[in-house]
């Protein structure tokens, strides 16, 4: 057993057999998710591995009788639900599993029982683990110059959590300057392989601005076009049958996609699994660049907990009439009409989706140590949101240059988090 510098206890290796034996002691409806994570262990992000290990170590900390007592109410509820008569997969989460649970009249009670168990197990696990050290984190969202906004009205829907800042200079330089300073800050990376930095772009501007030696998870909507088209074509073969849909999606997940991966992802199985999961989750990431940016950012925050995340939205084409956006048809292939840029619609989408990213930051404990900067290049202004413990630390006033903002971001990351 070792301890990382962020205070997480971890095992260097796992013993799948012992973990699966432990999972087999749990009620049936708790098993699919955990078994699925073990089956995909090599494609889990370090945070996901730590969380799974911590939960299973918490389960193992109970005596057999105490564990039976903890699980008994859920076992009784599963009996009332008739789980033993279901075709319920214990190997992984499936649409059929989710459908069976959601259709049960006891679904709300089931969710409460699962929540109770997880809280008890996590509490037991936390009691024997050191408290993780908190670190300053950063989310930067770029609304590029192609998206028209007015400086007087752009932040009117954003509330009072942030500070409006006018930018004296070229706003597009902020991300470029910041990325160039990152290698000298020594604020990213850890002992378990976290890159710490995610770049998610509707185009490829962030990837082009990043120094080649900078370790990062780089996702570009444009670079992923061949993969998207292939997955979209495969998804549109799915019949309207939950059982067959599960089989089709499982086939897509295990398909050899090597010929479609961009160079920067070709040797990163974690990012490959992340993208396939993202595309198959039915959230619009397959057909709209800005939906891809928002959902990829939200899922990165949930699954990887990066130290730094930079997301850049973009300009999309106007949806074409008489096409099936709702069923994820490829707009370019289904219609011969030429693409027409939609700046106003793109701006409305991106502003709303950017706020969703900030809402996502608040969902997780790390949000208490996260600063967020949203930059509108066309309006030449920014919106700076600081964590509660750091309110009042921005001393740049209501106007700042790209150099000042980039320097402040570096200083924030390099500082120590204050007590929550």
């Amino acid at each position: 057993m070792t301890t990382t510098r962020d205070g997480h206890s971890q095992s260097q290796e796992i013993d799948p057999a012992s973990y699966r034996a432990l999972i087999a002691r749990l009620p049936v409806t708790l098993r699919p998710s955990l078994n699925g994570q073990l089956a995909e262990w090599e494609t889990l992000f370090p945070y996901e591995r730590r969380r799974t290990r911590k939960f299973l170590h918490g389960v193992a900390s109970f005596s057999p009788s105490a564990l039976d007592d903890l699980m008994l109410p859920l076992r009784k509820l599963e009996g009332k639900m008739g789980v033993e008569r279901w075709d319920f997969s214990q190997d992984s989460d499936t649409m059929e599993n989710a459908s069976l649970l959601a259709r049960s009249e006891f679904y709300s009670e089931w969710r409460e029982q699962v929540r109770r168990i997880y809280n008890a197990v996590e509490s037991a696990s936390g009691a024997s683990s050191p408290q993780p050290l908190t670190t300053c984190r950063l989310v930067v969202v770029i609304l590029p110059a192609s998206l028209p906004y007015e400086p007087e009205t752009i932040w009117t829907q954003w509330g009072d959590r942030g500070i409006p800042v006018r930018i004296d200079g070229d706003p597009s330089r902020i991300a470029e300057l910041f990325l160039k300073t990152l290698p000298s800050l020594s604020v990213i990376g850890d002992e378990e392989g976290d890159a710490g930095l995610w770049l998610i772009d509707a185009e490829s501007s962030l990837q082009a601005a990043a120094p080649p030696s900078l370790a990062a998870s780089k996702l570009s909507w444009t670079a992923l076009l061949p993969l998207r088209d292939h997955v979209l074509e495969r998804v549109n073969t799915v019949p309207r049958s939950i059982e067959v849909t599960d089989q089709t999606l499982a086939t897509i997940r295990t398909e050899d996609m090597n010929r479609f991966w961009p160079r920067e992802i070709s040797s990163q199985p974690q990012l490959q699994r992340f993208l396939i999961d993202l595309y198959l989750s039915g959230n619009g990431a397959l057909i709209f660049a800005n939906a891809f940016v928002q959902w990829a950012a939200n899922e990165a925050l949930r699954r990887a907990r990066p130290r730094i995340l930079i997301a850049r939205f973009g300009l999309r084409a106007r949806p074409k009439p008489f096409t099936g956006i709702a069923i994820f048809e490829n707009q370019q292939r289904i219609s011969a009409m030429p693409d027409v840029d939609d700046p106003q619609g793109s701006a409305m989408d991106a502003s709303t989706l950017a706020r969703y990213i900030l809402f996502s930051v608040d969902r997780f404990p790390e949000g208490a140590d996260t600063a967020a900067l949203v930059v509108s290049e066309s309006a030449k202004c920014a919106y700076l949101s600081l964590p509660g413990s750091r309110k009042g630390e921005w001393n740049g006033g209501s106007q700042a240059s790209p150099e000042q903002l980039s320097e402040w971001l570096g200083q924030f990351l390099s500082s120590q988090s204050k007590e929550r």
Side-chain angles (χ1 to χ4, degrees):
M1 182 80 68
T2 60
T3 302
T4 64
R5 68 183 177 203
D6 62 359
H8 291 290
S9 293
Q10 64 177 51
S11 299
Q12 292 300 314
E13 302 291 342
I14 66 164
D15 179 358
S18 64
Y19 274 13
R20 290 192 185 281
L22 197 59
I23 293 170
R25 295 169 55 192
L26 302 177
V28 171
T29 54
L30 293 183
R31 299 174 192 172
S33 176
L34 293 166
N35 280 326
Q37 290 175 72
L38 288 187
E40 298 178 355
W41 191 258
E42 295 305 316
T43 62
L44 297 183
F45 293 111
Y47 169 78
E48 294 175 304
R49 295 181 187 179
R50 290 194 293 263
R51 183 187 60 186
T52 302
R53 275 194 297 254
K54 184 176 180 180
F55 179 81
L56 291 173
H57 290 165
V59 170
S61 71
F62 285 84
S63 67
S65 59
L67 185 63
D68 288 343
D69 289 344
L70 177 65
M71 301 298 166
L72 183 59
L74 180 56
R75 293 188 192 279
K76 289 182 176 179
L77 182 60
E78 287 181 348
K80 292 166 61 177
M81 297 168 76
V83 172
E84 73 279 358
R85 298 188 300 275
W86 293 355
D87 184 16
F88 194 81
S89 170
Q90 297 186 35
D91 296 328
S92 63
D93 288 322
T94 64
M95 292 180 64
E96 177 69 10
N97 280 6
S99 176
L100 288 167
L101 289 168
R103 293 201 306 266
S104 172
E105 62 180 303
F106 301 106
Y107 180 60
S108 295
E109 188 176 347
W110 175 83
R111 292 188 61 178
E112 286 301 316
Q113 287 295 334
V114 172
R115 186 177 296 112
R116 176 187 64 83
I117 289 171
Y118 267 76
N119 287 341
V121 171
E122 289 175 355
S123 177
S125 177
S128 59
S129 302
Q131 284 296 108
L133 301 176
T134 58
T135 55
C136 293
R137 297 169 183 267
L138 179 67
V139 169
V140 177
V141 179
I142 308 294
L143 303 172
S146 58
L147 305 183
Y149 297 101
E150 295 297 329
E152 296 80 13
T153 58
I154 182 172
W155 310 126
T156 55
Q157 302 297 318
W158 288 67
D160 58 1
R161 67 179 284 171
I163 307 164
V165 179
R166 295 192 305 276
I167 300 174
D168 181 17
D170 181 1
S172 67
R173 297 189 64 232
I174 296 172
E176 179 183 352
L177 290 168
F178 178 61
L179 286 169
K180 287 181 177 178
T181 63
L182 273 180
S184 63
L185 293 179
S186 300
V187 296
I188 54 178
D190 69 16
E191 291 86 344
E192 209 181 349
D194 282 320
L197 170 65
W198 281 61
L199 304 178
I200 303 171
D201 199 338
E203 298 163 344
S204 296
S205 297
L206 294 176
Q207 287 77 0
S213 61
L214 186 61
S217 298
K218 302 174 183 178
L219 304 182
S220 160
W221 164 266
T222 53
L224 290 164
L225 176 60
L227 175 69
R228 288 201 326 274
D229 283 350
H230 176 72
V231 174
L232 187 56
E233 182 179 358
R234 297 284 283 112
V235 166
N236 281 329
T237 67
V238 174
R240 295 180 181 179
S241 162
I242 290 179
E243 181 179 357
V244 180
T245 295
D246 276 328
Q247 296 171 0
T248 305
L249 295 183
T251 300
I252 295 174
R253 290 181 188 279
T254 58
E255 184 179 340
D256 183 357
M257 303 279 190
N258 285 338
R259 65 191 184 279
F260 300 113
W261 297 119
R263 177 182 53 80
E264 61 270 20
I265 299 176
S266 60
S267 61
Q268 299 194 53
Q270 293 164 328
L271 282 183
Q272 292 173 8
R273 172 60 63 180
F274 176 87
L275 284 166
I276 296 299
D277 288 346
L278 187 74
Y279 286 152
L280 296 184
S281 56
N283 51 36
L286 267 173
I287 56 174
F288 287 128
N290 286 341
F292 168 82
V293 171
Q294 182 248 320
W295 277 104
N298 285 8
E299 285 297 279
L301 291 169
R302 180 179 72 87
R303 294 183 53 181
R305 309 293 167 96
R307 182 82 188 275
I308 306 163
L309 184 146
I310 306 179
R312 186 179 186 275
F313 288 96
L315 182 65
R316 62 163 171 80
R318 184 176 295 122
K320 298 177 182 180
F322 310 112
T323 60
I325 290 176
I327 57 173
F328 301 134
E329 288 180 340
N330 187 314
Q331 296 288 289
Q332 283 68 43
R333 294 184 180 179
I334 203 70
S335 172
M337 295 178 63
D339 287 346
V340 178
D341 287 342
D342 186 4
Q344 295 293 340
S346 301
M348 292 178 61
D349 292 347
S351 179
T352 300
L353 296 174
R355 276 183 286 155
Y356 288 167
I357 294 177
L358 264 63
F359 295 153
S360 186
V361 169
D362 294 336
R363 292 174 55 200
F364 310 111
E366 291 83 356
D369 305 297
T370 302
L373 178 72
V374 184
V375 178
S376 169
E377 295 178 354
S378 64
K380 298 192 72 170
C381 60
Y383 185 84
L384 176 62
S385 175
L386 297 173
S389 62
R390 312 296 290 266
K391 293 292 187 184
E393 289 194 9
W394 166 252
N395 55 11
S398 61
Q399 182 168 319
S401 68
E403 290 79 7
Q404 287 174 306
L405 281 166
S406 174
E407 182 180 1
W408 186 88
L409 294 177
Q411 291 173 349
F412 175 81
L413 280 174
S414 300
S415 62
Q416 294 295 317
S417 287
K418 296 187 177 181
E419 292 297 325
R420 296 176 186 172

